[in-house]
Amino acid sequence: MSKKLSWVLTDTAKRVYVENCTLGATALGMDKDGAWTITKSRLRGGLSDGVDIIEVNNGQLSFTIVPTRGMGLWRGSCGGHAIGWNSPARDLVNPGFINTLEQGGLGWLKGFNECIVRCGLNSNGAPGMDTVLDNNGNPSEVMLTLHGNIANIPAKYVEVEVIPGTPTELVITGVVEESRCFCPQYRMVCRYSTFVGSNKVSIRDEVSNFADCPTEFQMLYHCNFGEPFLEEGAKIVLPAAEVAPRDPRAQEDIDTWDSYRGYEPGYVEQGYYLDVAADAQGRTLSMLKNRASTLGVVIRWDKSQLPSFCQWKHTTGASEGYVTGMEPSINMPNLKSFERQKGRVLTLQPGQTYAIDLAMEIAGDAKAVAAVEAEVAAIMAGRKTTVQQQPVAKWSPCAN
Amino acid sequence: MSKKLSWVLTDTAKRVYVENCTLGATALGMDKDGAWTITKSRLRGGLSDGVDIIEVNNGQLSFTIVPTRGMGLWRGSCGGHAIGWNSPARDLVNPGFINTLEQGGLGWLKGFNECIVRCGLNSNGAPGMDTVLDNNGNPSEVMLTLHGNIANIPAKYVEVEVIPGTPTELVITGVVEESRCFCPQYRMVCRYSTFVGSNKVSIRDEVSNFADCPTEFQMLYHCNFGEPFLEEGAKIVLPAAEVAPRDPRAQEDIDTWDSYRGYEPGYVEQGYYLDVAADAQGRTLSMLKNRASTLGVVIRWDKSQLPSFCQWKHTTGASEGYVTGMEPSINMPNLKSFERQKGRVLTLQPGQTYAIDLAMEIAGDAKAVAAVEAEVAAIMAGRKTTVQQQPVAKWSPCAN
Amino acid sequence: MSKKLSWVLTDTAKRVYVENCTLGATALGMDKDGAWTITKSRLRGGLSDGVDIIEVNNGQLSFTIVPTRGMGLWRGSCGGHAIGWNSPARDLVNPGFINTLEQGGLGWLKGFNECIVRCGLNSNGAPGMDTVLDNNGNPSEVMLTLHGNIANIPAKYVEVEVIPGTPTELVITGVVEESRCFCPQYRMVCRYSTFVGSNKVSIRDEVSNFADCPTEFQMLYHCNFGEPFLEEGAKIVLPAAEVAPRDPRAQEDIDTWDSYRGYEPGYVEQGYYLDVAADAQGRTLSMLKNRASTLGVVIRWDKSQLPSFCQWKHTTGASEGYVTGMEPSINMPNLKSFERQKGRVLTLQPGQTYAIDLAMEIAGDAKAVAAVEAEVAAIMAGRKTTVQQQPVAKWSPCAN
């Protein structure tokens, strides 16, 4: 068998919708390189009612994609290690139950529990007012809510592909549109790929402006991990050319910015903004490793696509969302008006497509962790990280 | 066969709900005057998840009614011509995904893609603040969002009737309630009727105040059409006694108010307010015809029921919602407080029912278009349209 | 048969969901003490689309629990008497259709039609601004909407138990979580219990703080009744140690605070705040009885758990929600900032559980009504009710 197999699970334009299905290596006679499964389900009950999920298990790594929540990656597992975090929002939440305007624009938090969640596409970052043109062409004040809309828009198209090879490739593609009259029109095509038996899932997102006018564009990948990667003494390892505290709260612990503390109920989040170095091809990476350096989770991306980076520390109590975020992004997660002023809000021309490549992989033992550290060291090539003791004007509103 | 046949598809009070069904002339032995079908479906996936639609095809004209979206008419087709428009909001949107407060009160736009959408019932028009009495009888400032709530309330009752005759009549009736404690209580009964083989669909809406106190009432029929009716050189043809630009933006092109331009990315909408003349019985009409005058779409209504009219021009780029609206209404689509002051907000007494008749028909060739033009000329009876060069105080807030 | 039987109908953690089922005494061979049934259904269509209900009929008393709406008790029936009220919001409303921020924070009203609805858990009472710490630990102004969120959160776990005995006990348990990152984390376990053939349903709620920090907590039971209990001349009977009008509007009729008027279209609600006496064990009760004293509905609770009480009069027109509320609660339903200042906002420590017991029973004839009146008299033990002629500072913001 050598031809690509594909199944369309959702296509709103053609009224295709598959509520439940399971695809498996054995049933398809494709188990030469191991037993893999792809299961599509619809959740029922509670806040998850009507949420579609796709669970991919490549035999080594498993992860769950959520078409109903903007194609986010909910959580996974590799070699017995849970990937993701324990949010106080326990269940996947149907966007129908979410009001992003709640709580002064923090309503997005009601559904925030994914391992990888996209923030955008018209805006991301802190909530606050922005000035846009309304339908009459007049400047109008609108509330931009935390991290934008894309995580709460269900995919209009979902396809599964199985591509025979050595090894077999498993692909989930989804299309999400953030678009309405008098507003920007974005089409995002998300492609998740993993090879049977691997410890890695690769993402390629293509965001298009399908309007006839230019439009602004923001994107941030909120990649969140708790235990067992995060623990007291865990560290973030990445080729940091420069790091600065986001605000006075982060400044308190700038000297230990790259290491983590244990449970601390009542801990107030700390954010660090970074300039991450890359190799000659623009490739770079960030790893969260445990205290013993025997386990790590790695995010890889292309700095030419995602030039900014935020490290989010939230080492609070165990029940309150003990987590850290590694957030490669186009812009820093400040209010859009600030990012615009600093030149970090992109413009997409009509018909233009912006491609973003990102991957998550697990370093499952000391050797793998050391290899990633060597990669980081190679990019740094002996340079030292510039550590700013205070928030800096280019990145932080509070320094302006 | 001479008795009326009827099928209740939804009745929340009696817990009746039919997820999918198809009725057809042939199966019912009623195909003497042509093959017709009525299909009820529930959409799944994307933003359409859980949206119920009823597709009616009378053999000549087809159209889709959306119980989940306030009994709106999504789109249709007649003689191979698409009826409706291509909104950037591609799919029908379940009201559960809509937050009308978004974007400064323009959240309604997330679902705006219908051919005929009702705007009301407590308010319609531009978003803004209004003063109402709260549950304690105290004046309270509330946000009235763009075009009100009725388009985002699912019908609680849906019935299909097939009435044998020469020809057979196909009827879809839906009941939508906009009602809650301490608030106005409206019950809207919408009846769509079409005869087998005809080019016309008729609507009769009956809006009742089922509270024990008088209540205000607003209604506007947002009837929207793009290609092939709308194109460069297309014209609106109606018995305009008087026309005025809504604002300075519309004033720019007041001299060509009745004709349309081609694609113009970045075009800012233009609105014109009209006093439309009627015949002795109060009947009147408006047609959008193509450049060659070989195709038109006609809206008919009763001026005693809908005395106001707005023409909405949005001849933007092809991907951004190239469309025009013909909008017969009780009031002009300004902020309610302005309309109240001008005496265009109705009051419904307890138990009072307000009936509205409206029809859409297709003029499928030059002869049919000419016949409609003759109707319009007969109503005008030689009078000239008064064209106001500037916004006028009776209609436009900006002229006050 | 002596073992407890149980059926899990929803468990989002384990992906259990039963769409429809019926349990009955006869089928289970448990009809020695009468025919009872428990029916679980999922409503479809209209605003009720996707709402799960559980109808319990113990042979004498029937009532409907709504897992989708925070485990509220929608309505019931006993001896042919309807229990509940006719809200202008006729159908049960899926929380997905509700935007609590609407109408100046009164959006909760869109779904308000239950007989017993919980108000909380982070806040209840009148809408308005409060100051909380945001994710950065900074004071932030947020809108607290009418009566909080708990009534619009679907239960994540639902279980039915049948406990053999003399008589058999029927139990419905649901778990609702109000919880998100950077916010309080409440888990509410609601247990409804009724015995076969009885006229009573008992509720035990256990609300836990499952965060690692202390959190504020508010709770009010909005118990609402219309005809046949409420009518002209109906009275509320309870051991009122002190009663005061909430505001000038209530002050108008302070002299007749404990009796009710007939239909009065346009009636503006009146609220009275009470200190209700209790017996030595803290037990107390309130009854709404009809004019003839032949029918009553009784709410029983524990004053040590619910020290506050509000009587809500809304004797408006028959179509507009003719109803009264008996509202035992932790706090008075004022804006949270006022209640906090008066010391009526509770704090739950990490892991702390707050238990609340409440029951509703029907007094079906003059004798039963008289017996309840005797209970009330026994608690009062000859004391007179202190009737405040004006709002008092401890309870009413307007008196401060």
Side-chain angles (χ1 to χ4, degrees), chain C residues 236 238 240-246 254-258 271-276 309 311 332 384-392 394-395:
Chain C
I236 188 172
L238 77 175
E242 181 180 2
V243 59
R246 185 183 63 184
I254 183 63
D255 293 340
T256 53
W257 71 271
D258 65 346
Y272 297 91
Y273 289 158
L274 280 83
D275 178 23
V276 181
F309 186 89
Q311 174 202 19
M332 294 298 185
K384 290 280 181 216
T385 298
T386 302
V387 179
Q388 304 288 354
Q389 292 300 311
Q390 297 179 24
V392 294
K394 64 180 171 183
W395 288 336

Side-chain angles (χ1 to χ4, degrees), chain C residues 237 300 335:
Chain C
V237 180
R300 296 179 179 276
L335 187 54

Side-chain angles (χ1 to χ4, degrees), chain B residues 175-296:
Chain B
V175 178
V176 188
E177 284 182 4
E178 178 178 330
S179 171
R180 60 182 85 168
C181 220
F182 307 121
C183 291
Q185 298 171 224
Y186 309 96
R187 180 174 297 121
M188 177 175 73
V189 180
C190 303
R191 185 184 193 272
Y192 287 90
S193 158
T194 190
F195 287 93
V196 172
S198 85
N199 61 344
K200 182 176 177 179
V201 52
S202 299
I203 299 173
R204 182 176 177 87
D205 287 351
E206 298 183 347
V207 177
S208 305
N209 169 16
F210 72 95
D212 300 301
C213 288
T215 191
E216 293 183 332
F217 167 49
Q218 297 197 283
M219 179 67 113
L220 178 147
Y221 291 80
H222 216 300
C223 308
N224 312 297
F225 304 95
E227 294 161 306
F229 303 95
L230 183 65
E231 61 182 341
E232 186 176 355
K235 298 201 89 169
I236 188 172
V237 180
L238 77 173
E242 182 180 2
V243 59
R246 185 182 63 185
D247 51 26
R249 166 63 185 139
Q251 188 177 329
E252 296 172 16
D253 292 309
I254 182 65
D255 293 341
T256 53
W257 70 272
D258 64 346
S259 65
Y260 292 92
R261 303 213 287 249
Y263 300 143
E264 215 168 314
Y267 176 96
V268 173
E269 68 167 33
Q270 295 180 311
Y272 298 92
Y273 289 158
L274 280 85
D275 178 23
V276 181
D279 70 13
Q281 285 72 45
R283 291 176 302 220
T284 190
L285 72 168
S286 177
M287 172 171 66
L288 173 69
K289 64 168 190 174
N290 69 355
R291 182 174 53 241
S293 296
T294 54
L295 187 64

Side-chain angles (χ1 to χ4, degrees), chain A residues 255-266:
Chain A
D255 293 339
T256 52
W257 70 271
D258 64 346
S259 65
Y260 292 92
R261 303 213 287 248
Y263 301 143
E264 214 167 316

Side-chain angles (χ1 to χ4, degrees), chain B residues 10 12-13 15-17 19 42 50 52 68 94-101 134-137 140-143 149 152-156 177 179-183 185 187 210-213, chain C residues 41 43-49 53 55 74-75 85 87-91 96-97 99 101-104 106-107 109-110 112 246-247 249 265-266 268-269 312 314 316-321:
Chain B
T10 299
T12 56
R15 297 202 200 161
V16 173
Y17 178 79
E19 182 159 332
R42 185 176 177 96
D52 288 323
T68 305
N94 191 317
F97 294 123
I98 289 176
N99 180 345
T100 57
L101 289 169
D134 68 11
N135 52 316
N136 295 311
S140 155
E141 294 286 300
V142 296
M143 179 70 180
N149 292 323
N152 287 301
I153 305 177
K156 59 181 292 163
E177 284 182 4
S179 171
R180 60 182 85 168
C181 220
F182 307 121
C183 291
Q185 298 171 224
R187 180 174 297 121
F210 72 95
D212 300 301
C213 288
Chain C
S41 318
L43 305 181
R44 307 293 292 274
L47 289 166
S48 300
D49 200 74
I53 59 171
E55 295 169 286
W74 184 26
R75 61 185 188 190
W85 59 297
S87 171
R90 287 287 194 266
D91 295 318
F97 293 123
N99 180 345
L101 290 169
E102 277 185 354
Q103 236 186 306
L106 297 176
L109 294 169
K110 186 174 183 180
F112 176 44
R246 185 183 63 184
D247 51 26
R249 166 63 184 139
V268 173
E269 68 167 33
W312 173 56
H314 192 239
T316 183
S319 301
E320 300 181 321

Side-chain angles (χ1 to χ4, degrees), chain A residues 44-47 49 53 55 88 90-91 96-97 99 102-103 109-110 246 265-266 268-269 314 317-320, chain C residues 12 15 17 19 42 94-96 99 101 135-137 142 154-156 177 179-183 185 210-213:
Chain A
R44 308 293 293 275
L47 289 167
D49 199 74
I53 60 171
E55 296 170 283
R90 286 287 194 266
D91 294 318
F97 293 123
N99 181 346
E102 276 184 354
Q103 235 186 308
L109 294 169
K110 187 174 181 180
R246 186 182 62 183
V268 173
E269 67 167 35
H314 192 239
S319 301
E320 300 180 322
Chain C
T12 57
R15 296 202 200 160
Y17 178 78
E19 183 160 331
R42 185 175 177 96
N94 190 315
N99 180 345
L101 290 169
N135 53 316
N136 296 310
V142 298
K156 60 181 294 166
E177 284 182 4
S179 170
R180 59 182 85 169
C181 220
F182 308 121
C183 291
Q185 299 170 221
F210 72 94
D212 301 301
C213 287

